[in-house]
Amino acid sequence: MMTQEHLEDVAEASRWAADKGKVASYIPKLAEADPHQLGVYLMDLQGRGVGAGDWQKRATIQSIVKVAIFLQALADCPLDRLNQKISLNATAGGFNSIVELEERNQHKPLNPFINSGAIASLFLVNGGHGERFERVMELVKSMTAEQRLEVDEDVYLSEKEHGSRNRAIAYFMQSTNIIEGDVEQLLDDYFRLCSLQVDCRDLACIAATLANGGVNPVTRQACALRQHCRTALAVMVSCGMYEQSGEFLVQTGVPAKSGVGGGIMASIPGRMGLGLIGPALNEAGNSSGGIELLARLADELDLSIL
Ligand code: GLN
């Protein structure tokens, strides 16, 4: 593990990249985030960790929750049945692409880590309105370090009010029988899950739990099956950074998942989890500072799994 002092230096040396990005504004509340914020936390599989920069500042989890939604869907629905509704392949379109749903892959979402695939995964989680939220929220909670978890009500309401794009995606999927039932209720659970607040240590702990075969390294609680973690990690490798996943894998060699709140979690099987937050994003919707910092750490610590 790196010393805190050195990690501070690496974080500081990466801040220039944050200044090249822009905070997300399509959810108005996210536009209020500080573009200069950048933090990182590393956690090993004994639950020991080190943080640097603004690692204690929280952000909403956004698309990183898609990994937990997918894990819960795998727990509630056999993979072959899930695969009839959602593919496990890379995308060239953006995270909220609609055209791919209409023109490619027989109307099936390409993977569970773009919006269409995450909404379809949430549909496969057991329970009705509110229960699906609870099930996934409990899973996220069990995978974090402090096991306290709150919804940022302002972001949730902002996202719900400005969620036309996700409504378009979800209603389209209803028209093609990928999802059924009450679309607004399903989206309500999705918006709430995207608005869970996490800090870098929480993200690192979720990633370390994945790296540890589903056992939370801090609490020693078994949260997910090893096989399901392996499946989720495989999809993170190919689809975790949206249409930038290929280039990111070449650059860092690590399974990771990003969100438009500026978070990135990276999971190094058998070794550690990393959590980063930097709200300024690049064109693909991935944290600019986070990618720079993660690339430097991957290089220094030889994190590549390839
Ligand atoms: N809540 C966001 C949305 O649905 C999540 C997208 C993301 O983080 N890329 O638009």
Side-chain angles (χ1 to χ4, degrees):
M1 193 64 76
M2 217 173 232
T3 64
Q4 208 246 335
E5 208 182 5
H6 185 57
L7 192 56
E8 289 289 359
D9 290 343
V10 184
E12 217 34 63
S14 308
R15 262 188 215 268
W16 66 269
D19 294 335
K20 282 194 4 189
K22 284 202 183 81
V23 298
S25 56
Y26 77 101
I27 300 171
K29 199 71 199 165
L30 291 183
E32 295 172 17
D34 172 10
H36 302 292
Q37 179 185 332
L38 185 62
V40 59
Y41 197 95
L42 272 55
M43 185 182 285
D44 70 16
L45 302 191
Q46 278 70 48
R48 291 178 302 233
V50 56
D54 307 308
W55 72 268
Q56 288 164 323
K57 283 204 184 144
R58 291 199 281 176
T60 49
I61 192 167
Q62 296 298 335
S63 279
I64 301 170
V65 83
K66 289 169 176 161
V67 178
I69 295 174
F70 183 51
L71 282 173
Q72 193 57 51
L74 288 171
D76 289 351
C77 171
L79 181 60
D80 55 347
R81 220 182 84 214
L82 182 147
N83 216 196
Q84 288 167 11
K85 300 270 188 195
I86 308 160
S87 296
L88 303 169
N89 290 317
T91 170
F95 63 84
N96 54 10
S97 172
I98 299 173
V99 68
E100 281 185 339
L101 272 181
E102 187 172 25
E103 294 191 344
R104 292 189 56 192
N105 206 36
Q106 294 149 340
H107 306 318
K108 271 166 61 173
L110 281 166
N111 68 66
F113 294 167
I114 50 176
N115 290 13
S116 55
I119 295 165
S121 300
L122 189 56
F123 169 70
L124 297 175
V125 169
N126 288 341
H129 183 212
E131 288 165 350
R132 288 184 173 121
F133 164 77
E134 286 290 332
R135 277 176 89 67
V136 179
M137 205 260 303
E138 284 304 322
L139 175 61
V140 179
K141 202 190 256 186
S142 73
M143 295 175 87
T144 57
E146 295 295 337
Q147 311 221 324
R148 48 135 180 77
L149 208 55
E150 282 164 21
V151 170
D152 182 325
E153 287 293 327
D154 290 339
V155 172
Y156 157 66
L157 291 174
S158 183
E159 186 156 351
K160 194 168 159 128
E161 189 182 344
H162 297 270
S164 305
R165 181 89 178 198
N166 282 322
R167 287 193 178 86
I169 289 170
Y171 279 106
F172 185 83
M173 290 196 294
Q174 189 184 46
S175 80
T176 54
N177 299 318
I178 297 290
I179 61 172
E180 294 155 33
D182 192 316
V183 170
E184 293 299 329
Q185 290 182 349
L186 184 65
L187 284 172
D188 184 62
D189 284 340
Y190 171 76
F191 293 143
R192 237 181 243 276
L193 286 168
C194 290
S195 306
L196 292 172
Q197 291 178 299
V198 286
D199 65 19
C200 292
R201 184 163 181 258
D202 291 322
L203 291 178
C205 193
I206 298 171
T209 303
L210 280 165
N212 198 33
V215 177
N216 183 320
V218 174
T219 63
R220 313 308 305 172
Q221 184 187 345
C223 308
L225 295 181
R226 177 175 291 275
Q227 185 56 48
H228 292 168
C229 291
R230 217 174 269 157
T231 304
L233 285 165
V235 184
M236 281 163 68
V237 166
S238 51
C239 313
M241 308 293 279
Y242 316 116
E243 71 271 32
Q244 208 189 358
S245 299
E247 282 171 12
F248 174 83
L249 188 62
V250 171
Q251 202 181 355
T252 65
V254 302
K257 182 73 202 89
S258 62
V260 290
I264 301 177
M265 71 167 179
S267 190
I268 322 302
R271 263 186 86 183
M272 69 169 88
L274 295 90
L276 304 99
I277 296 177
L281 310 177
N282 65 18
E283 323 72 57
N286 297 317
S287 171
S288 306
I291 290 186
E292 172 67 22
L293 180 44
L294 188 48
R296 282 173 185 257
L297 292 173
D299 196 31
E300 275 202 36
L301 297 169
D302 195 20
L303 297 179
S304 174
I305 61 165
L306 303 169

